[in-house]
Amino acid sequence: MANNNKWARILVYAVLIYAVIYYLLPLYVMITTSVKTTEEIRTGNLLSLPMHITLDAWRKAWGTACTGVQCTGLSLYFWNSVRMVFPAVIISTTMGAINGYILSKWKFYGSEIVFAMLMYGLYIPFQVLLLPMAQTEGYLGIAGTTPGLIFVHVVCGIASTTLFFRNYYVGIPDELINAARLDGAGFWRIFFRVVLPMSLPIVMVTFIWQFTQIWNDFLFGLVFSSGDSQPITVGLNNMANTSTSVKEYNVDMAGAIIAALPTIFVYVVAGKYFVRGLAAGAVKG
Amino acid sequence: MAMPALPAARYPNSELEKKMGALAIKNVTKSFGDTHILKGIDIEIDDGQFLILVGPSGCGKSTLMNIIAGLEGPTTGEVHIGGRVVNNISPKDRDIAMVFQSYALYPTMNVRQNIAFGLETRKVPKKEQDEVIQRVAKMLQMDHLLDRKPGQLSGGQRQRVAMGRALARDPILFLFDEPLSNLDAKLRVEMRTEIKQLHQRLKTTMVYVTHDQIEAMTLGDRIAVMKDGIIQQFGSPQEIYERPSNLFVASFIGSPSMNFIDCHLAEQNGQIGVSLQTDSDARFLPLPNGQRLAGRVGQEVILGVRPEQLDVAHSDDNVAAISIKVNLTEPTGPDTMIFTKINGKEVVARVHPRDAKGPGETMRLALDMSKVVLFDPKTELRLE
C-alpha cells in the first residue's frame, strides 16, 4: 500500500515537473537569448547559458531598433499602449460595474433581454466588427487615433465586464439594497456607499482581465490605429518583420519580453485577487 | 378602486398625526400575471399594537410586509400608515424602520457607521448622530461593539445591531421580517423576550412576520394567520387559540397540534353529543349547549381537542371521561405527552408526569367538553 502510494506520488511529480519545464523553457530561451550577442546566438546552442551577459539587445529593442522605415525602437509604441490601456480599462470596468449593478439590483421590464443580448456580444468574433467599426469611427472622426482605439476596446469589453459584475452582484443579498433604500439612500448612494466597497475582488478580476485583453490585442491595434498611435503589439510585429541582413533574435526576444512585462507585472501584483474574485463570482450566476 | 382615496396627510404636523402610528391595510391584492400572491387583505390595528403576520412559507406574509414597507407595490388596495395613504410614498419617506431576516448589515461599515448611515442620508447633524448612536448602544447594551465590522460579530450580536439600526430612526412603525429565524434555539428565546420588552418600553406600533407559531403567540397583540394569500383569522392570540376559525388555524397554532377526531353528532337522552371509541372503551359524551347543533344531528363533524384539554380523570368527573390505551409516551419535563387512538385517529394528551402510565397500560382521560371545538368536515370551518 505504502509502496503503491510512493510510486503514484513519483508519477504525479514527474508529470508536474514535465509540465513546468514545458511552460518555462520558452521563457528561459527568451531571457537567455535576449542577453546574448548575435555572434553567440549564431555559433552557440539555443539552450546554453550566455557566456557574456549584455543588455545591448534590450537597449536596441527599446530605443533604436527599426520598425519599418523609422528606427526609434519600441518605446514609442510602449507609451502608446500605456496611454490607450488605462482609459480603456477604467472606462470599460466602470461601465461594467454600473451595468452589472442595474442588471442585478435594479431590474426593469426587459432587463433580462438586455442582459441576454449583451452576453451575445461575448460570442461575436471581433473580425466581424472590423468594417462596421471602421465606418463608425469614421463618422465619429476618431479613426486611427488613440481615442478611437480606446472606443473600440471599451465597446468590445462591456460584454465581459458586465457579465463579471452582474454575476458578482447577484450574490449580494437584495435585503442589503432594501435596507439601504429604507435608510433613505438612492441609486447612486447605494452604489457608492454599499455596493462598490464590497466590490474589490471583482474590480481586480475585471481590471486584470481587461488589462490583459487590451494590452495583448493585436487585431484592433493593427486595424484601428495608424503611425503614431500604434500599440506595442503592432510595434513588436513591425520590428520582428523588418528585415535586415542578419536576423537579430536577441533584439526580438528582448522586445517580446518588454511587450509582455506589464501584464506579468499586473498578475504578480494583483493575481491573488484574481483567483479569489473568480471564486467569489462563481458562487452564484 | 371603489374606495375613495384619502387625502395624503389628514393631520399635517399635528400632535394627532404623531399619535396615529396605526396601520391599516385595505383590500390589498398582489398578482404577477396569473399568480395571485395576495387575494384581498384587510387588516387594521391601533397605535402601539404588536401585529403578527404568521403562516407557512408561501402564504404571502413576506410580500405583505414588503408592501407595507413600500419595497413592492400592491396590485390593488391601499396601505395607510399613521392615517395617511402611503401607496405612492417611497419607503424612505414612510417613517418606518425594518429589521431583516438576514440582518442586512452593510459589511464594509462598522457598527457605528451602520447605525449612522440612515441618519447621514437624512442629513441629521453629526452631533445629533452621535447622541442617537450612544442612546441606541446603551439601550441594546452594545457600546463595546461599535467599532467592529459585522463579520466580527456573532449571530446574536448582528441581530442586536440590526435592531439598533432600526431603533436609531425612531419611526412610527417597526417592521420585523422573521428576525429570529437565523438564531439558535436558546438565543431565539432570549431575543424574543427582548423584543417584547422593547415593545413595552417604546410602545411603537410593530409588525412582525414569522412562520413560528410560538413567536406569534408570545409576542402578538393581534395575530393574522395567513395561508394562500388569504387571512384565515385575525384576532388576539387567545381568541385564535381558543376559537380557531377553521381547521387550518386550529392545526397551525398550538404545539403539539390540536387533535382532530372524526365523529358523528348524535342525540341521546335529549342531549346532543358525540360518540368516542378507544381500544378499551366507548362513550357518548354530551356537549354543553349542544342544542345549538340540533339541526346537525346525524351529520359528520370533526371534534377539535387541544392536548391539554385531555387530562387525567378523577373519580368525580366521570361524565366526560373515557378510558384509553396508551400507545406511546413522550416526557417533556413539565408534562408528558400520551399518544393513543380515538375513533381510529391518533390523539395526544398532555398530562402531568406523575399521572402518566406506560405504553400498553390503560388510563382514564377527562375531556373538557366546554372547551372543545367542532368543525364542518366539508367547509373546514368551525361550527358556532
Side-chain angles (χ1 to χ4, degrees):
Chain A
M1 198 53 201
N3 218 14
N4 234 343
N5 242 332
K6 194 177 117 194
W7 283 109
R9 191 160 285 250
I10 287 172
L11 185 70
V12 167
Y13 276 105
V15 171
L16 289 177
I17 289 166
Y18 175 76
V20 167
I21 292 171
Y22 189 89
Y23 277 97
L24 284 185
L25 205 57
L27 182 66
Y28 167 81
V29 171
M30 281 177 80
I31 292 170
T32 51
T33 307
S34 74
V35 293
K36 289 176 186 173
T37 60
T38 35
E39 184 64 25
E40 194 185 335
I41 293 168
R42 201 151 30 93
T43 57
N45 185 315
L46 188 67
L47 291 179
S48 63
L49 281 166
M51 286 182 290
H52 309 288
I53 291 179
T54 166
L55 292 178
D56 286 348
W58 282 74
R59 273 183 218 109
K60 187 170 182 191
W62 179 253
T64 61
C66 294
T67 52
V69 287
Q70 53 176 347
C71 295
T72 52
L74 290 176
S75 56
L76 181 78
Y77 299 93
F78 185 89
W79 295 121
N80 278 345
S81 271
V82 170
R83 269 193 295 276
M84 181 260 308
V85 78
F86 283 103
V89 169
I90 290 167
I91 294 170
S92 60
T93 304
T94 306
M95 294 186 77
I98 295 167
N99 284 348
Y101 173 56
I102 294 171
L103 291 173
S104 60
K105 296 296 168 217
W106 297 85
K107 288 187 185 165
F108 49 90
Y109 187 75
S111 63
E112 289 300 306
I113 296 170
V114 171
F115 180 61
M117 283 167 70
L118 261 173
M119 289 311 96
Y120 197 63
L122 289 174
Y123 302 105
I124 295 177
F126 288 151
Q127 286 81 351
V128 172
L129 299 177
L130 293 179
L131 275 175
M133 188 59 86
Q135 261 181 332
T136 309
E137 297 233 310
Y139 289 136
L140 295 174
I142 50 174
T145 64
T146 299
L149 200 51
I150 292 170
F151 178 78
V152 178
H153 282 303
V154 167
V155 168
C156 293
I158 281 177
S160 46
T161 58
T162 300
L163 177 71
F164 287 155
F165 277 100
R166 185 259 181 199
N167 284 2
Y168 186 78
Y169 288 158
V170 160
I172 293 180
D174 288 343
E175 283 196 345
L176 212 51
I177 308 298
N178 287 339
R181 282 171 68 194
L182 280 167
D183 265 341
F187 181 88
W188 289 112
R189 190 185 282 263
I190 295 174
F191 181 64
F192 285 113
R193 293 290 307 278
V194 179
V195 173
L196 206 55
M198 298 171 69
S199 308
L200 183 67
I202 201 66
V203 167
M204 295 311 287
V205 166
T206 313
F207 181 86
I208 295 175
W209 178 265
Q210 283 298 93
F211 188 94
T212 311
Q213 292 289 310
I214 296 172
W215 185 272
N216 288 345
D217 163 73
F218 179 67
L219 179 68
F220 291 147
L222 187 66
V223 177
F224 295 118
S225 63
S226 63
D228 53 0
S229 70
Q230 284 175 328
I232 189 140
T233 45
V234 176
L236 180 66
N237 172 71
N238 292 354
M239 188 181 84
N241 284 342
T242 302
S243 47
T244 48
S245 53
V246 186
K247 190 80 186 136
E248 293 177 302
Y249 288 110
N250 50 356
V251 178
D252 291 351
M253 292 301 178
I257 296 172
I258 289 171
L261 271 181
T263 48
I264 294 173
F265 177 76
V266 166
Y267 264 103
V268 169
V269 171
K272 64 175 180 177
Y273 289 103
F274 192 70
V275 177
R276 215 187 284 165
L278 279 186
V283 173
K284 269 188 172 182
Chain B
M1 273 312 300
M3 201 167 307
L6 291 166
R10 287 193 294 185
Y11 310 102
N13 304 322
S14 71
E15 268 307 296
L16 203 52
E17 189 196 8
K18 267 200 107 55
K19 277 194 172 168
M20 293 285 292
L23 169 75
I25 294 158
K26 297 193 174 163
N27 197 25
V28 161
T29 66
K30 179 75 179 177
S31 311
F32 295 99
D34 286 337
T35 316
H36 305 291
I37 311 290
L38 297 175
K39 304 166 187 164
I41 303 290
D42 283 288
I43 293 177
E44 214 168 328
I45 53 168
D46 294 333
D47 187 29
Q49 280 191 322
F50 201 127
L51 167 69
I52 305 280
L53 304 174
V54 67
S57 48
C59 71
K61 57 190 192 294
S62 288
T63 305
L64 182 57
M65 176 69 107
N66 285 343
I67 288 173
I68 297 171
L71 298 167
E72 286 180 57
T75 305
T76 62
E78 280 178 352
V79 178
H80 301 243
I81 296 174
R84 58 177 184 164
V85 181
V86 293
N87 282 34
N88 295 320
I89 294 175
S90 73
K92 68 179 162 70
D93 297 324
R94 291 188 178 197
D95 204 3
I96 54 177
M98 188 159 172
V99 177
F100 292 87
Q101 182 173 6
S102 67
Y103 316 139
L105 301 176
Y106 311 122
T108 55
M109 303 181 199
N110 65 26
V111 171
R112 190 189 302 276
Q113 292 162 330
N114 260 284
I115 297 171
F117 185 69
L119 303 170
E120 249 172 69
T121 53
R122 288 184 164 74
K123 304 203 164 47
V124 174
K126 188 82 180 75
K127 190 163 160 278
E128 216 170 300
Q129 283 181 27
D130 291 338
E131 284 167 15
V132 169
I133 292 168
Q134 285 311 321
R135 169 174 67 82
V136 168
K138 210 165 179 190
M139 198 188 304
L140 294 174
Q141 291 145 32
M142 54 180 200
D143 309 65
H144 58 296
L145 304 176
L146 286 177
D147 294 315
R148 292 201 207 163
K149 292 260 176 76
Q152 299 164 307
L153 301 176
S154 69
Q157 289 169 331
R158 282 180 214 184
Q159 169 65 53
R160 211 171 270 271
V161 174
M163 280 176 35
R165 188 170 62 178
L167 284 173
R169 297 266 314 284
D170 197 17
I172 58 169
L173 182 63
F174 279 108
L175 305 176
F176 293 86
D177 188 3
E178 308 213 17
L180 305 183
S181 58
N182 288 342
L183 299 179
D184 63 56
K186 186 166 174 285
L187 209 50
R188 198 178 308 169
V189 175
E190 284 174 24
M191 289 306 288
R192 197 172 73 201
T193 313
E194 223 164 298
I195 290 175
K196 184 143 195 176
Q197 280 172 346
L198 201 67
H199 177 244
Q200 282 175 358
R201 189 147 28 126
L202 296 173
K203 298 190 169 52
T204 309
T205 316
M206 294 186 176
V207 181
Y208 188 107
V209 165
T210 181
H211 60 264
D212 183 321
Q213 53 93 16
I214 296 178
E215 277 175 31
M217 289 295 290
T218 50
L219 288 172
D221 291 319
R222 311 287 283 159
I223 299 179
V225 183
M226 294 178 67
K227 186 191 161 208
D228 300 334
I230 293 170
I231 292 194
Q232 306 288 321
Q233 190 170 3
F234 178 53
S236 72
Q238 214 54 35
E239 242 171 84
I240 284 177
Y241 189 77
E242 285 173 0
R243 298 165 57 78
S245 63
N246 59 33
L247 272 182
F248 171 76
V249 175
S251 64
F252 192 78
I253 300 287
S255 173
S257 194
M258 183 184 266
N259 298 301
F260 298 116
I261 305 165
D262 300 323
C263 37
H264 247 83
L265 208 57
E267 190 166 359
Q268 266 186 27
N269 308 327
Q271 285 184 306
I272 291 173
V274 290
S275 298
L276 298 185
Q277 183 154 15
T278 70
D279 290 339
S280 56
D281 202 358
R283 292 263 165 167
F284 176 80
L285 302 182
L287 287 157
N289 306 322
Q291 290 310 322
R292 69 198 154 98
L293 298 164
R296 288 188 176 256
V297 170
Q299 289 180 9
E300 294 282 338
V301 291
I302 295 174
L303 180 69
V305 187
R306 295 273 179 207
E308 67 273 15
Q309 290 159 3
L310 279 164
D311 202 357
V312 174
H314 301 290
S315 52
D316 50 334
D317 48 17
N318 57 358
V319 180
I322 189 162
S323 157
I324 55 107
K325 195 168 134 238
V326 178
N327 289 336
L328 186 79
T329 62
E330 270 183 3
T332 64
D335 304 304
T336 295
M337 305 299 161
I338 304 283
F339 288 73
T340 183
K341 279 210 160 130
I342 299 180
N343 286 12
K345 279 274 201 148
E346 177 144 289
V347 166
V348 184
R350 185 200 291 258
V351 303
H352 195 281
R354 163 192 73 210
D355 302 326
K357 297 264 174 72
E361 295 181 271
T362 58
M363 58 190 288
R364 262 163 49 85
L365 292 180
L367 248 99
D368 190 343
M369 293 304 277
S370 65
K371 288 188 178 154
V372 299
V373 284
L374 292 171
F375 298 96
D376 183 318
K378 282 198 202 74
T379 63
E380 300 197 344
L381 296 176
R382 180 168 51 85
L383 299 173
E384 286 297 333

